[in-house]
Amino acid sequence: MTDLTFIDSLRAIVGDRGVVTEATDLEIYNTDWRHIFHGKARCAVLPRNTQEVSAVVRLCASAGVPMVPHGGNTGLSGGATPDDSGAQVVISLARMSAIRNIDPVGETMEVEAGCILQTAQEAAAEAGLLLPISLAAEGSARIGGILGTNAGGTNVLRYGMARTRVLGLEVVTANGEIVSGLRRLRKDNAGYDWKQWFIGTEGTLGIITAAVLQLAPMSRNTVTVLLAVPSPEAALKVMRAARQGIGETLNAFELMSGTALELVERHQGLKVPLAPSEWYVLLEASSSLPSLREAVENLLGEVLEREDATDGVIAESERQESELWALRESITEAESREGRSVKHDVSVPIPAIPAFLREAGAAVAGAFPQARINAFGHAGDGNIHYNLVVSSSTDGSALNALVHDIVVAHGGSISAEHGIGQYRVKELERCRSLPELELARCVKHALDPSGLMNPGKILASLHAEK
Ligand code: 2HG
Ligand code: ZN
């Protein structure tokens, strides 16, 4: 098929405005949010409904054209960026953004893949319910990308990763078939749970077009606390006390290094309302029971008395709550303004966090003395963003290997929540066992035998390297 015929056929499916071919208009699809990954798409296509996604995939499949699904472009691993061959078609779900229905009794929401997370959260809140997926990029991230990457965020401690919210899924498979499993059932053990083949697999097996999400009751009271803590060990003691004292109400337990908040003060114009400290903890609890605040005050008194925390502040208003959260949620932006950074999105068993930080700190100081460590993350889930601000000449791959080896030695994972994308493909092959990689290739072979769905992401090739 000539390029002209191919583009015309796409236009016949999605309409003239649904196909982007101009180089300048393609820029937003050709690079990621950080401008780290760059590619060259043949074109971008924006279907308006699931039937159109199916028709686009059928056309691409029959022409042997590789496809790259694209959501809000806020992923940090290059999963939505095409390669530079000029052959790949980006399929953006942005025009499929409807909230199809909300069931206030069953506490579910059916939503299309292109819906922005914050829009979905607001719709749930209007119905008196909580969509408990929360992340810094929620103003741009889209549901399809969130599920495709099995995103994490700050509420995982209480509500789990994105996959745990999915009751039903609608997907378009690699051959263009629509598979609809938009059931709103809490319990559904009828055979393989095929939804999981598409959640967290970054569009390498098919395209998510809609989902039924499990919502949660909205708590009436929320309490947010910022603590200064002397060390990661002390932070874990605070976590233990919080789990014992107010455990079932704990939404988030975030650890931030002094460096992270220095960056935020420098670049975002925000102010940390506590004395400078090596480490900070931001915790949030919520409950509909009126006694929550008193319980949190008791907890604060207890950890200050034991000197596991040296200072602390409880937000007195919704505004102060947002101000405390802004400190945490601005770290990524502040880091990007500081210069080049090499990111690590790792997880280790929670008790191993202090040892990991100590060992990685020593290893980095030895091998890359110029690198500045910007560590922060979701300590309550064992997920640390171990980012290093470096110069342009630093060998990022060597740095990755150094950090990941320590992670693996602690029984950790080289991606806790950001996924593999194109950024960690080689490291996944290096760090995962052969039988695990072989299983992944089997699934890829079965569901995408031609290898046209987001090629080069997660798995380098369909075959083990000889
Ligand atoms: C967060 O936790 C995000 O804020 C981004 O996962 C982390 O910038 C990062 O490395
Ligand atoms: Zn994170």
Side-chain angles (χ1 to χ4, degrees):
M1 206 183 292
T2 66
D3 197 49
L4 220 60
T5 332
F6 178 68
I7 299 285
D8 278 347
S9 309
L10 286 175
R11 288 203 175 107
I13 299 167
V14 298
D16 285 352
R17 290 178 46 211
V19 183
V20 180
T21 52
E22 286 299 320
T24 45
D25 300 334
L26 280 174
E27 257 161 46
I28 53 167
Y29 304 103
N30 281 338
T31 188
D32 68 313
W33 179 82
R34 291 174 76 208
H35 301 277
I36 299 280
F37 307 100
H38 302 276
K40 187 168 173 285
R42 180 168 179 177
C43 64
V45 197
L46 290 88
R48 290 163 291 197
N49 53 50
T50 307
Q51 286 69 28
E52 289 187 4
V53 177
S54 158
V56 167
V57 172
R58 275 186 209 282
L59 177 70
C60 291
S62 67
V65 172
M67 294 157 264
V68 181
H70 195 91
N73 208 24
T74 57
L76 296 169
S77 310
T81 310
D83 68 13
D84 57 9
S85 64
Q88 302 187 333
V89 168
V90 169
I91 302 180
S92 164
L93 282 295
R95 289 207 293 177
M96 288 180 58
S97 59
I99 293 171
R100 292 182 181 164
N101 62 61
I102 296 181
D103 170 1
V105 177
E107 299 180 346
T108 64
M109 161 187 270
E110 184 176 321
V111 61
E112 291 183 351
C115 183
I116 289 180
L117 173 57
Q118 195 174 329
T119 310
Q121 286 168 343
E122 285 166 3
E126 254 170 56
L129 292 162
L130 177 73
L131 171 57
I133 305 175
S134 177
L135 25 105
E138 62 200 19
S140 318
R142 295 180 192 270
I143 296 295
I146 286 167
L147 301 185
T149 55
N150 184 30
T154 49
N155 276 344
V156 173
L157 180 60
R158 182 162 181 180
Y159 296 103
M161 298 285 279
R163 83 164 75 247
T164 59
R165 309 317 304 169
V166 182
L167 299 182
L169 206 66
E170 177 189 86
V171 301
V172 171
T173 63
N175 58 12
E177 197 80 45
I178 298 172
V179 184
S180 185
L182 289 170
R183 286 179 284 270
R184 328 179 192 170
L185 307 173
R186 289 235 189 177
K187 301 180 87 170
D188 179 6
N189 259 353
Y192 289 167
D193 186 4
W194 58 262
K195 302 189 293 297
Q196 307 303 339
W197 303 341
F198 299 91
I199 301 169
T201 49
E202 305 185 37
T204 60
L205 302 176
I207 301 179
I208 294 172
T209 49
V212 177
L213 302 177
Q214 174 74 67
L215 305 174
M218 183 76 90
S219 304
R220 275 194 288 276
N221 313 306
T222 300
V223 184
T224 306
V225 184
L226 181 69
L227 294 167
V229 295
S231 63
E233 284 84 353
L236 289 198
K237 288 186 186 155
V238 174
M239 193 194 304
R240 194 74 210 111
R243 295 296 287 176
Q244 281 167 338
I246 54 164
E248 73 281 12
T249 69
L250 207 55
N251 297 332
F253 190 96
E254 302 282 311
L255 180 68
M256 300 174 284
S257 60
T259 311
L261 291 196
E262 262 167 51
L263 292 179
V264 167
E265 288 198 321
R266 186 170 330 139
H267 295 292
Q268 309 298 115
L270 302 177
K271 183 91 195 75
V272 178
L274 300 177
S277 171
E278 293 267 307
W279 295 94
Y280 298 88
V281 162
L282 180 67
L283 73 81
E284 184 193 88
S286 65
S287 165
S288 288
L289 303 177
S291 53
L292 177 67
R293 195 179 164 99
E294 200 188 323
V296 174
E297 282 168 359
N298 290 342
L299 171 73
L300 189 60
E302 193 189 310
V303 297
L304 284 170
E305 193 182 311
R306 282 207 311 257
E307 295 180 4
D308 292 334
T310 52
D311 200 0
V313 56
I314 303 185
E316 294 295 338
S317 61
E318 269 185 35
R319 192 175 146 189
Q320 266 185 24
E321 249 165 47
S322 323
E323 284 168 2
L324 293 185
W325 270 108
L327 294 170
R328 167 62 185 87
E329 291 185 334
S330 307
I331 300 176
T332 300
E333 182 86 42
E335 181 192 284
S336 75
R337 287 175 190 220
E338 183 72 3
R340 179 181 172 219
S341 69
V342 174
K343 286 188 185 285
H344 302 92
D345 163 42
V346 304
S347 56
V348 292
I350 292 170
I353 293 176
F356 162 71
L357 288 169
R358 206 169 37 247
E359 290 164 27
V364 169
F368 297 89
Q370 316 297 341
R372 277 178 296 146
I373 300 166
N374 179 30
F376 62 98
H378 320 285
D381 316 313
N383 177 189
I384 302 294
H385 298 304
Y386 196 77
N387 299 345
L388 295 134
V389 179
V390 295
S391 69
S392 55
S393 60
T394 304
D395 179 350
S397 307
L399 196 44
N400 289 160
L402 185 83
V403 173
H404 289 159
D405 284 349
I406 298 168
V407 169
V408 172
H410 282 287
S413 170
I414 66 159
S415 176
E417 60 172 7
H418 294 173
I420 300 301
Q422 50 184 288
Y423 181 42
R424 301 187 176 87
V425 172
K426 288 214 174 78
E427 281 297 88
L428 187 74
E429 287 207 339
R430 205 176 63 80
C431 297
R432 278 279 144 110
S433 68
L434 286 179
E436 283 178 293
L437 291 170
E438 214 30 57
L439 265 184
R441 288 193 188 98
C442 274
V443 176
K444 177 77 175 165
H445 264 296
L447 295 185
D448 179 26
S450 313
L452 294 177
M453 300 310 300
N454 215 2
K457 313 293 164 47
I458 302 185
L459 294 168
S461 71
L462 283 174
H463 307 285
E465 276 181 26
K466 296 276 171 325

